[in-house]
Amino acid sequence: MKSTAAVLGVGLALSLLHGGLAIAQGFAGPKVADAKPGDLRVIATAAIREPLDAVLAQASAAVGHPLVVEYGSARGNLKDKILAGQDFEVALLLPDVNEELLKQGRILPESYEIARVNVAIGLRGDAPNLDVGTPAALKNAMLNAKSVKYAPTGAAILTVRKVFSTLGIADSIKDSSKGRERVELGPGEYELNFYPLSEIIPNKALKNLGPVTPELQVPVIITAVIGKHANDEKAARALLGFLQGPAIDRALEADGMMKGKAG
């Protein structure tokens, strides 16, 4: 099992090489199932990977335990893993996922908002003056895109569904979200990617076109919960206190995120 420092190094290396979407799509990195006794097991949506990796060493020192953090899709592989019996101390997920986990007796009946982030659009390809600043402009851009990509179980899906339903284009775009292969782009062709801003900013393969217009936006709310069968509830609560404190604020801001609302 990797130390906290090694885990942090792996996260940063992946970030520099592939950007935030690498974890969201490939789920590389440490697994909580490999944690050693005394490790604090954390399961987290890829939307908060960059800020959490940035303060991982500080968090470990504050809690007094090495942290093993597994990232992935909150509505996909992470939820499935927890429902299948994977125990943990802290999970950073989404409210609708927490509701299901609570019904199944997998978490304690409390949650804490850690961060919020808007869904943004990342451009890959050749479209230097592409306008996505209004619903009408976004509709036109999507209809003319060679590929539109998003994670079907990802944190951005509520915004994607609102975009599709409001603009009425679900059956008219070239949706490549279910395929893992890279869509080849020729001259003048482009792909639009819908992901949390915190995953687009570090992805050097994408040009950040900014958040989806407010009329179509459903912000991603990331909440922390404690596992029902956590080995060390005291340490879990110490981590929650750290995440609610000021130590992570700068990292959140640098990744386009906002501090969660207290209470």
Side-chain angles (χ1 to χ4, degrees):
M1 188 63 222
K2 300 178 180 66
S3 66
T4 298
V7 170
L8 178 57
V10 169
L12 288 174
L14 285 169
S15 171
L16 291 173
L17 182 61
H18 298 298
L21 302 185
I23 294 297
Q25 295 176 353
F27 310 125
K31 306 296 181 185
V32 295
D34 299 327
K36 294 180 179 179
D39 289 344
L40 195 73
R41 300 165 297 177
V42 180
I43 292 175
T45 168
I48 201 170
R49 182 175 67 87
E50 295 287 326
L52 188 55
D53 274 355
V55 299
L56 199 58
Q58 290 175 261
S60 177
V63 172
H65 292 270
L67 269 60
V68 177
V69 184
E70 179 173 348
Y71 297 102
S73 170
R75 296 186 176 101
N77 70 312
L78 298 183
K79 181 184 74 171
D80 293 345
K81 182 169 293 191
I82 295 171
L83 290 175
Q86 176 62 60
D87 289 326
F88 59 93
E89 276 64 62
V90 172
L92 301 170
L93 302 170
L94 308 170
D96 56 292
V97 177
N98 296 338
E99 289 179 11
E100 187 170 350
L101 296 180
L102 182 60
K103 290 178 182 178
Q104 298 300 320
R106 300 296 295 143
I107 61 174
L108 297 183
E110 55 191 91
S111 64
Y112 305 87
E113 186 176 316
I114 302 301
R116 292 183 174 224
V117 62
N118 283 326
V119 174
I121 304 168
L123 172 69
R124 183 173 69 87
D126 185 12
N129 299 309
L130 192 64
D131 182 9
V132 295
T134 66
L138 178 58
K139 179 177 181 178
N140 183 64
M142 293 178 71
L143 289 173
N144 287 297
K146 183 174 182 181
S147 169
V148 174
K149 207 167 187 66
Y150 56 91
T153 61
I157 193 61
L158 298 184
T159 291
V160 172
R161 289 173 181 168
K162 187 171 183 179
V163 167
F164 285 175
S165 63
T166 303
L167 301 183
I169 57 174
D171 298 325
S172 303
I173 62 168
K174 298 179 179 68
D175 188 337
S176 58
S177 60
K178 294 181 181 179
R180 289 189 177 275
E181 66 280 359
R182 181 183 176 92
V183 176
E184 295 299 324
L185 301 175
E189 295 179 334
Y190 62 90
E191 176 182 84
L192 295 179
N193 292 263
F194 289 79
Y195 289 96
L197 180 59
S198 54
E199 293 183 55
I200 288 180
I201 285 177
N203 192 312
K204 301 188 184 306
L206 301 178
K207 177 182 179 181
N208 177 21
L209 298 183
V212 171
T213 182
E215 301 97 315
L216 304 172
Q217 181 73 238
V218 182
V220 176
I221 301 174
I222 299 173
T223 55
V225 294
I226 298 174
K228 183 69 174 291
H229 303 291
N231 289 333
D232 192 334
E233 185 178 329
K234 181 178 179 181
R237 293 190 181 281
L239 178 58
L240 294 185
F242 175 86
L243 294 174
Q244 291 177 296
I248 198 173
D249 290 1
R250 184 175 296 180
L252 290 174
E253 183 178 354
D255 212 36
M257 307 185 82
M258 299 161 278
K259 188 77 171 182
K261 296 180 179 179

